[in-house]
Amino acid sequence: MNLKIETQSRMNHLAKQLYRMTWPMIFGVLALMSFQLIDSAFIGQLGVVPLAVQGFTMPVQMVMIGLQVGLGIATTAVIAKALGAHQQRYAKQLGALIVTMGGAGMALICVVIYFLRGVILPLLGADHSVESIVDSYWLWWLGSVWLSAFIYFLYSVSRANGNTKLPGLVMVLTSLLNLALDPLFIFVFHLGINGAAIATIIAFAIGIAIVAPKILAQHWVLFDWHDLNIKRSLLDILHIMGPAMLSQLMPSISSMLATKLLASYGTAAVAAWALGARYELFSIVAILALTMSLPPFVSRLLGQRKIADIRALVHCAVIFVLGFQLLIALITFAIAPLLTQVMTSAETVAQILHNYLLIVPFSFGLLGTCMIMVSVANALGKSYVALIISILRLFVFYLPCLWVGAYLGELYGAFFGALVGNLLAGIAAYAIYVKTLNKLTHSIPANAATQ
């Protein structure tokens, strides 16, 4: 009986810690998503060509984000694990190494992309009408990309050290700054699409000026590397970064294939699907926040060899996600007619979107479970397991089910296909996680695994 009470008390303690780490990230993610949405709306007022430029920029941006997030995942995993193993000096050296090498590497990639823009644009199908705008816009945009990556690496170091409030608050601040500066630079100073990139540069520069001194003051980075095996450390980072980066790039490939399938039903179907995808992002904001706050917690427990605590923590996260997303789905079902009126005025699009909102959101709980299992696998140092889960989710379950659903029931069937695909992906991901954790438990001494 005492053991049961003690276990329940421990789970409550872990759940409270996870909550404290997650809620700042929810506000941060919401703020970032809102600013990106409004930023696109401002650019949309400039005309067709600037919108086209943004469209051709998007695939390149997805690659850059994949690199950035991949290194960010590796950062939180290796630093948090080192801290859990009480290797404070090594954790600080890793923080400095990642910020330095990551910043230098992203800067080099940005320079290469700018000088290869004449090769990249034709490959993306761009015509001569966008080239002159890209010449100036990409100069500013790539500057904003580098600053975005650099501040993301700083956020990752902060999260790895258990502080999610700092990145969460600064994400909100930079988003608000961007929203305030966008119309000023785009319309008042008449800088057009370049003004949007300049506003982002200023916002992120201010964010870095706030975050960097706090990280230095907390001594989370150490630039004394005389006793650090840099080659081994970089290999440890790349071991997680490579598969994590591929996992981040896969959804964009899947999205393009899904869009191509839906395009056969007309532009209204594509428009409704795009609106549904945008609603999905806002619906799963708590899940996105958990994928940022949970991994450093898991990695630290792994460093301490507290496998039982990892099991309890992930269990709490999954129960929360399933319950919360079911509530969101029920609310969406109840107010679907109102949502469709708010999101679109086109009758044909609204009808399709209404059907989407009645069906697909009921799968977001297990979709979220799948996303969390990818993050947990990376945190456990099992980056290839995370990659396998991502491949299974998109190319074994989601896309085939979408196709089968469309084949059997056309557009309405495609929505049920998406539902089934997400459900199967979540169940499979959880089963793979359980198997992986059991193997990890057997590889750790019994007394350590139950601590």
Side-chain angles (χ1 to χ4, degrees), residues 47 87 126 171 206 246 355 397:
Q87 298 173 328
M171 285 163 75
I206 292 171
L246 289 174
N355 289 331
F397 297 117

Side-chain angles (χ1 to χ4, degrees), residues 251-330:
S252 60
I253 298 170
S254 172
S255 176
M256 285 188 287
L257 293 172
T259 302
K260 186 175 181 180
L261 172 64
L262 290 162
S264 61
Y265 297 101
T267 45
V270 175
W273 186 262
L275 287 172
R278 191 171 296 170
Y279 179 76
E280 176 183 320
L281 279 175
F282 277 94
S283 298
I284 63 171
V285 65
I287 297 167
L288 295 173
L290 272 171
T291 61
M292 294 182 181
S293 62
L294 187 60
F297 202 168
V298 170
S299 294
R300 186 171 293 201
L301 290 172
L302 178 65
Q304 296 168 348
R305 297 188 170 191
K306 294 182 176 179
I307 304 300
D309 281 358
I310 293 175
R311 200 183 302 274
L313 182 69
V314 174
H315 178 75
C316 287
V318 170
I319 292 298
F320 166 76
V321 164
L322 292 175
F324 184 73
Q325 293 304 143
L326 177 60
L327 178 63
I328 294 291
L330 291 171

Side-chain angles (χ1 to χ4, degrees), residues 191-204:
L191 294 174
I193 192 171
N194 291 355
I198 293 170
T200 304
I201 287 173
I202 294 171
F204 283 144

Side-chain angles (χ1 to χ4, degrees), residues 77-92:
V78 295
I79 294 177
K81 186 178 178 182
L83 288 170
H86 304 293
Q87 298 173 328
Q88 275 77 13
R89 178 178 173 82
Y90 180 50
K92 293 174 184 179

Side-chain angles (χ1 to χ4, degrees), residues 161-417:
N161 282 274
N163 186 327
T164 56
K165 286 184 181 179
L166 177 62
L169 290 172
V170 176
M171 285 163 75
V172 172
L173 176 64
T174 54
S175 299
L176 291 175
L177 282 171
N178 216 315
L179 289 175
L181 294 173
D182 256 351
L184 186 66
F185 282 92
I186 295 173
F187 303 115
V188 178
F189 296 155
H190 304 291
L191 294 174
I193 192 171
N194 291 355
I198 293 170
T200 304
I201 287 173
I202 294 171
F204 283 144
I206 292 171
I208 290 170
I210 294 170
V211 177
K214 291 187 179 297
I215 284 178
L216 290 171
Q218 293 289 336
H219 305 291
W220 288 337
V221 291
L222 179 65
F223 293 93
D224 179 7
W225 300 336
H226 76 274
D227 59 339
L228 178 67
N229 187 331
I230 294 178
K231 182 180 178 182
R232 191 200 72 184
S233 300
L234 287 176
L235 286 174
D236 287 344
I237 294 164
L238 289 171
H239 175 73
I240 299 175
M241 178 185 171
M245 182 186 71
L246 289 174
S247 294
Q248 293 299 314
L249 293 175
M250 274 185 210
S252 60
I253 298 170
S254 172
S255 176
M256 285 188 287
L257 293 172
T259 302
K260 186 175 181 180
L261 172 64
L262 290 162
S264 61
Y265 297 101
T267 45
V270 175
W273 186 262
L275 287 172
R278 191 171 296 170
Y279 179 76
E280 176 183 320
L281 279 175
F282 277 94
S283 298
I284 63 171
V285 65
I287 297 167
L288 295 173
L290 272 171
T291 61
M292 294 182 181
S293 62
L294 187 60
F297 202 168
V298 170
S299 294
R300 186 171 293 201
L301 290 172
L302 178 65
Q304 296 168 348
R305 297 188 170 191
K306 294 182 176 179
I307 304 300
D309 281 358
I310 293 175
R311 200 183 302 274
L313 182 69
V314 174
H315 178 75
C316 287
V318 170
I319 292 298
F320 166 76
V321 164
L322 292 175
F324 184 73
Q325 293 304 143
L326 177 60
L327 178 63
I328 294 291
L330 291 171
I331 293 171
T332 303
F333 188 89
I335 64 170
L338 177 63
L339 281 173
T340 53
Q341 289 177 14
V342 171
M343 294 172 74
T344 181
S345 57
E347 185 61 34
T348 52
V349 176
Q351 187 176 357
I352 298 169
L353 179 61
H354 181 262
N355 289 331
Y356 176 98
L357 294 174
L358 293 178
I359 300 167
V360 182
F362 283 98
S363 68
F364 290 168
L366 278 163
L367 169 63
T369 300
C370 186
M371 293 168 69
I372 287 172
M373 294 309 108
V374 170
S375 297
V376 170
N378 280 317
L380 293 172
K382 305 296 182 182
S383 52
Y384 287 97
V385 172
L387 180 59
I388 288 168
I389 291 173
S390 295
I391 292 171
L392 288 173
R393 171 198 157 195
L394 296 170
F395 300 108
V396 175
F397 297 117
Y398 182 74
L399 286 174
C401 286
L402 192 69
W403 183 85
V404 170
Y407 179 78
L408 295 175
E410 297 191 334
L411 192 56
Y412 196 66
F415 295 154
F416 276 105

Side-chain angles (χ1 to χ4, degrees), residues 1-10:
M1 187 69 177
N2 288 336
L3 180 61
K4 186 177 180 181
I5 294 171
E6 186 180 334
T7 303
Q8 187 61 47
S9 175
R10 182 63 181 161

